[in-house]
Amino acid sequence: MKKIFNFYVASWAVMFVLFQVISFVTPGWADAEKYTPSFWIGYICITIFFFGQLACAYFALKTENPGKVFYRSSLVAASYVGLLLSFASGGFCMLIPTFPYWAGIILCAIVLAFNVISIMKASVSVALVECTDEKEKAQIFFLKSLTADAETLLSKARSETVKKDCRRVYEKFRYSDPVSCEALAAVEGEITVKFSAFAKAVEEDNVADVKAISEELVILLEDRNKKCKLLK
């Protein structure tokens, strides 16, 4: 995502420079003093939001995980809304030099508070979604890992009889419920031990052991799948 962020920074820089040019090149209204406290309050407000939006974009795009970028897009959207609101409130203060400075501060502070709260809400939502995603990945790791190992073991089988038993075990792993939980720890522990013995038997081309252990593995996996259904 580094290239995307670099492109974003370039676009951000163009817009920020354009804001500077418009702010300082345009004349005041009807020969009125331009650089009043109201102008500087609006200018500072918009500048703060510009850098805040850049920070949110950096947080969203710094990861190389496309899924996390998608999750964090709501954070970028919230920062964009804040930037637009800052243009409305800050721009008003900059365009009306006679606008009371205290009213400008209150107006910009309200917009800032609203946007900070929106970003905080988006951040909490992103954190919850990412936490759930990581938890789900951890829950399916056990069976996915053993399925991959079973597939590798299938390619190591030397005789057709052993290969047939390996394929049966692999298919059983492949079509089993992938989600694990603490209640399945005992049976999954037995499956891990049995699979290690099964792998050893396959590598040694011990047809009798492969047959016996594969039967035990199938029974354990069926027991695990039944418990998975009961836990749902």
Side-chain angles (χ1 to χ4, degrees):
M1 301 301 169
K2 187 176 180 181
K3 289 184 178 180
I4 297 177
F5 181 69
N6 289 340
F7 174 77
Y8 176 83
V9 170
S11 302
W12 179 91
V14 170
M15 295 302 297
F16 186 69
V17 170
L18 180 62
F19 167 64
Q20 303 301 314
V21 171
I22 293 173
S23 297
F24 294 104
V25 172
T26 54
W29 294 94
D31 297 325
E33 173 61 33
K34 178 180 178 180
Y35 301 113
T36 62
S38 179
F39 171 89
W40 291 112
I41 289 167
Y43 173 79
I44 292 171
C45 173
I46 295 174
T47 301
I48 289 172
F49 274 87
F50 253 112
F51 282 97
Q53 205 283 318
L54 180 63
C56 289
Y58 172 75
F59 176 73
L61 299 174
K62 70 177 181 179
T63 178
E64 293 298 322
N65 187 326
K68 288 188 176 182
V69 172
F70 176 75
Y71 296 150
R72 297 174 184 180
S73 60
S74 60
L75 196 62
V76 178
S79 67
Y80 265 126
V81 171
L83 184 59
L84 291 175
L85 290 175
S86 76
F87 273 116
S89 57
F92 179 81
C93 294
M94 294 174 72
L95 289 171
I96 311 298
T98 57
F99 191 66
Y101 75 91
W102 58 267
I105 292 174
I106 292 174
L107 177 62
C108 291
I110 290 173
V111 173
L112 180 61
F114 171 79
N115 192 233
V116 168
I117 292 171
S118 298
I119 290 175
M120 288 174 65
K121 287 182 178 178
S123 299
V124 170
S125 299
V126 169
L128 289 173
V129 171
E130 290 183 353
C131 182
T132 302
D133 187 51
E134 292 298 323
K135 186 178 179 180
E136 288 178 353
K137 286 180 180 178
Q139 286 178 328
I140 66 173
F141 177 78
F142 168 77
L143 205 69
K144 291 292 183 182
S145 176
L146 284 181
T147 302
D149 291 341
E151 186 176 14
T152 302
L153 202 59
L154 179 60
S155 64
K156 293 181 179 180
R158 283 174 275 178
S159 65
E160 284 301 318
T161 304
V162 171
K163 185 171 289 188
K164 182 180 178 181
D165 289 325
C166 285
R167 185 174 297 281
R168 184 187 179 195
V169 170
Y170 165 67
E171 293 294 333
K172 199 66 181 179
F173 273 120
R174 185 181 177 189
Y175 294 108
S176 293
D177 192 321
V179 180
S180 297
C181 65
E182 292 181 7
L184 300 173
V187 68
E188 287 180 350
E190 291 183 56
I191 291 171
T192 302
V193 172
K194 286 295 179 184
F195 185 79
S196 296
F198 179 70
K200 184 179 179 181
V202 171
E203 290 172 359
E204 293 175 353
D205 200 31
N206 190 326
V207 178
D209 284 353
V210 168
K211 182 69 175 177
I213 299 171
S214 67
E215 292 289 346
E216 293 176 9
L217 269 173
V218 168
I219 292 171
L220 285 170
L221 283 166
E222 287 177 350
D223 181 44
R224 177 189 177 278
N225 290 336
K226 289 177 183 177
K227 290 179 178 177
C228 282
K229 289 180 181 179
L230 290 173
L231 292 169
K232 289 184 178 178

